[in-house]
Amino acid sequence: MSTNLQNALLDVRKAYRLLADYQQRMFELLGFIRERLGAKDYYHKYLYPLPQGLEGLDKRDNSGLRYLPFYDLSAIWLKNQGQDAPWDNHLPGDLMFGAWVRSDTDFNKYSGQFKGLPAEQSRSVLVLSVVVCEKPMAKPCNWYGKIWDYMGYPEDDQVNDTDVPGYRCYAKSIDLEQLSDRNAIEAAIADWCKRASQKLNTPIGS
């Protein structure tokens, strides 16, 4: 075996261990933020769901990415007022939070392609968003199928109030490198809640 191949395989072994540790910490971070916001688990969105079989993967050029289902994962949480079936039965003031883990901002999830920046020049961010219900759609109105799928992300630190009548969305990116410890996380989420509350004119946060 050549030295180059040995070194490459060593890098792969290190990368797998690092990736497992990173993803574990990210799951813990998401859980902490969800609890801080007073929300409950609802759904999640995979960019690349894990393939159900191996057939045809050797013919595709994105099979490597398809075996990274955490990549560009979005966690979706709800905060409601205790009503039955809150995912289909909205009340004014109900909230849907989104936490989009952008591990590499150079990757465009809509095109499925990297834009060309070296990793040293891209960023790792958490795009935290919230949708507030002001005038509920007619029941049943599924948060994921009727709101999430039709509500585009606004510009950073801005509000989208046009895509879905009766619902407004605020989103802002947080650099993951800022979230180095509990105090830093608490400060970042407090700042995000303050900004979201001001932009939406609605109290956001527990």
Side-chain angles (χ1 to χ4, degrees):
M1 186 182 297
S2 71
T3 301
N4 287 344
L5 181 55
Q6 288 176 327
N7 291 338
L9 293 174
L10 174 60
D11 287 343
V12 169
R13 293 195 296 273
K14 290 179 178 179
Y16 268 117
R17 297 182 189 192
L18 181 62
L19 182 61
D21 185 55
Y22 163 71
Q23 294 186 165
Q24 177 64 35
R25 291 177 181 272
M26 288 306 305
F27 284 126
E28 293 168 0
L29 173 65
L30 292 175
F32 181 85
I33 294 174
R34 185 195 69 245
E35 291 179 1
R36 170 66 177 77
L37 294 172
K40 295 183 179 180
D41 280 315
Y42 166 54
Y43 203 64
H44 58 271
K45 177 70 173 180
Y46 290 127
L47 176 62
Y48 292 113
L50 191 65
Q52 298 302 303
L54 301 181
E55 184 178 359
L57 293 181
D58 56 317
K59 307 298 184 183
R60 302 175 63 103
D61 60 5
N62 68 344
S63 295
L65 280 171
R66 292 186 67 197
Y67 267 84
L68 295 174
F70 185 92
Y71 204 74
D72 265 25
L73 172 75
S74 290
I76 307 172
W77 312 317
L78 297 182
K79 187 173 183 180
N80 54 71
Q81 299 165 62
Q83 67 268 35
D84 292 334
W87 48 88
D88 283 335
N89 174 26
H90 309 173
L91 295 175
D94 283 356
L95 304 174
M96 175 174 61
F97 294 95
W100 173 18
V101 183
R102 296 194 67 192
S103 297
D104 187 338
T105 56
D106 187 58
F107 184 76
N108 186 322
K109 71 174 183 177
Y110 302 106
S111 68
Q113 302 291 325
F114 289 94
K115 292 177 283 187
L117 281 178
E120 292 80 4
Q121 295 179 23
S122 63
R123 299 158 56 215
S124 299
V125 303
L126 177 67
V127 182
L128 197 57
S129 62
V130 60
V131 177
V132 58
C133 170
E134 295 183 330
K135 185 177 180 181
M137 283 187 179
K139 305 172 187 177
C141 173
N142 184 263
W143 267 114
Y144 182 79
K146 294 293 186 179
I147 311 300
W148 178 272
D149 275 349
Y150 290 90
M151 179 73 76
Y153 282 98
E155 294 295 323
D156 198 58
D157 199 29
Q158 298 299 319
V159 173
N160 177 351
D161 58 4
T162 60
D163 284 354
V164 183
Y167 297 77
R168 294 188 296 146
C169 177
Y170 169 83
K172 188 178 187 305
S173 298
I174 303 172
D175 279 288
L176 289 179
E177 63 187 35
Q178 296 179 6
L179 308 179
S180 56
D181 55 39
R182 184 187 180 97
N183 288 339
I185 297 168
E186 288 276 12
I189 299 306
D191 178 70
W192 183 89
C193 288
K194 179 180 178 180
R195 290 173 177 271
S197 299
Q198 291 172 343
K199 292 286 187 177
L200 294 168
N201 195 28
T202 302
I204 304 295
S206 56

